[in-house]
Amino acid sequence: MEVIIQPNRETAALLAARITAHEIRGNPHLALGLATGKTMERVYGNLVLMHREARLDFSLCRTFNLDEYVGLFPADPHSYRHYMDEHLFRHVNIDPRNTHLPNGMAADLEAECRHYEALIQRFGGIDFQLLGIGKAGHIGFNEPLSALRSRTRVKALTPTTIAQNAPEFGGTDKVPRRAITMGVGTIMDSRRCLLLATGHSKAEVVAQAVEGPITSMVTASALQLHPRCTVIVDQDAAGKLREKDYYRWIFENEPEWEEYR
Ligand code: GLP
């Protein structure tokens, strides 16, 4: 893992967007894994600007989202399909046929999960996966005790996650209880991944994921085993990390990061 500490949530999201744009420019056919949540909104905002102002081209990209709620139609304003359309897809030149999310309305949810895994495989696997982190330490909706080798499947959401997402739905009772999510194993198969976390509320869980033991109680900790994982945090989310000075030294001195400093 590489940890990059940025001064604030804006610079952290901008850096995540710049790295994503670099990946797209390096491989126009990129299979791009996408995440949702408040944190990602700033990343997508920056990508939209880069499309408008710097001709960032999504026309050949294929996207695969991490997850989708069970029981919501794509047009539902709370669905992740709707989120993606609003924050990214309809503002850039991506072909809607190349954008993929699990179908939370499938009659046979297990078949839908197998289909989603097969689809990712058919396109050669995910090249670059964007990730947020939930307050329960989850990536995608891989809640505590998710098998670290799990594949796409239906997961029941924890009370912590339901409470975290309740404001979007206007109350805890309105949040779907289940979601289809890529498994930890699916995410681990991506060639590169980038986790972005900002704000005080993520400090504890970031420290557990980055510096704590690898455990299914904090599924983001599995990323410690990923060969190419970058974690970007702002000062607030970095608050409980022990090795901050070391991470800062690496970002300031290693040639790999020169163009981003
Ligand atoms: C949801 C998503 C996760 C995301 C998390 C963080 O649980 N399924 O993929 O990482 O929200 O959301 P936020 O950025 O709003 O804190």
Side-chain angles (χ1 to χ4, degrees), residues 17-261:
R18 288 177 67 200
I19 293 172
T20 308
H22 182 89
E23 291 285 331
I24 296 170
R25 291 203 164 101
N27 174 10
H29 290 92
L30 194 77
L32 175 60
L34 297 173
T36 51
K38 284 259 163 257
T39 315
M40 286 296 146
E41 290 178 13
R42 286 189 179 83
V43 178
Y44 299 140
N46 280 300
L47 289 174
V48 170
L49 273 180
M50 288 171 188
H51 168 69
R52 285 186 189 146
E53 291 169 9
R55 279 183 283 166
L56 182 62
D57 180 14
F58 291 81
S59 61
L60 300 173
C61 261
R62 294 163 202 289
T63 66
F64 297 91
N65 266 78
L66 284 168
D67 45 20
E68 179 60 283
Y69 290 109
V70 167
L72 298 189
F73 284 104
D76 188 299
H78 298 116
S79 76
Y80 283 161
R81 162 58 76 180
H82 187 268
Y83 170 106
M84 289 312 308
D85 287 342
E86 286 302 303
H87 292 288
L88 183 67
F89 298 157
R90 71 184 180 87
H91 305 289
V92 298
N93 65 334
I94 197 157
D95 183 337
R97 290 170 300 184
N98 289 341
T99 66
H100 306 284
L101 285 91
N103 175 11
M105 290 302 290
D108 184 341
L109 291 170
E110 277 184 30
E112 171 62 15
C113 295
R114 284 195 301 276
H115 166 76
Y116 200 63
E117 281 283 330
L119 194 67
I120 293 170
Q121 291 309 316
R122 201 179 320 142
F123 288 109
I126 291 169
D127 295 306
F128 181 73
Q129 177 69 57
L130 281 171
L131 296 165
I133 185 167
K135 286 190 185 130
H138 63 239
I139 44 177
F141 270 129
N142 289 289
E143 301 285 37
L145 294 188
S146 289
L148 299 185
R149 299 179 70 180
S150 51
R151 312 306 302 188
T152 302
R153 70 221 182 287
V154 176
K155 280 300 288 182
L157 307 184
T158 58
T160 308
T161 300
I162 292 171
Q164 187 187 338
N165 294 352
E168 308 286 324
F169 285 84
T172 311
D173 50 328
K174 299 199 179 79
V175 183
R177 265 31 191 180
R178 297 185 302 154
I180 296 179
T181 180
M182 281 187 202
V184 183
T186 320
I187 295 167
M188 292 295 286
D189 284 351
S190 63
R191 289 178 195 94
R192 182 178 184 188
C193 55
L194 189 162
L195 185 145
L196 174 65
T198 58
H200 285 295
S201 67
K202 300 288 173 71
E204 180 62 43
V205 89
V206 163
Q208 287 176 20
V210 172
E211 295 177 339
I214 296 171
T215 166
S216 64
M217 285 301 288
V218 179
T219 53
S221 67
L223 297 170
Q224 293 174 29
L225 294 169
H226 195 287
R228 191 140 191 243
C229 177
T230 305
V231 175
I232 300 177
V233 284
D234 66 354
Q235 300 263 28
D236 291 344
K240 298 207 167 162
L241 290 171
R242 285 193 298 267
E243 298 292 340
K244 287 195 272 286
D245 292 345
Y246 177 56
Y247 309 145
R248 286 205 174 96
W249 189 92
I250 288 181
F251 187 65
E252 288 308 323
N253 293 280
E254 289 297 317
E256 185 193 350
W257 298 111
E258 201 172 329
E259 65 171 294
Y260 296 106
R261 290 200 275 269

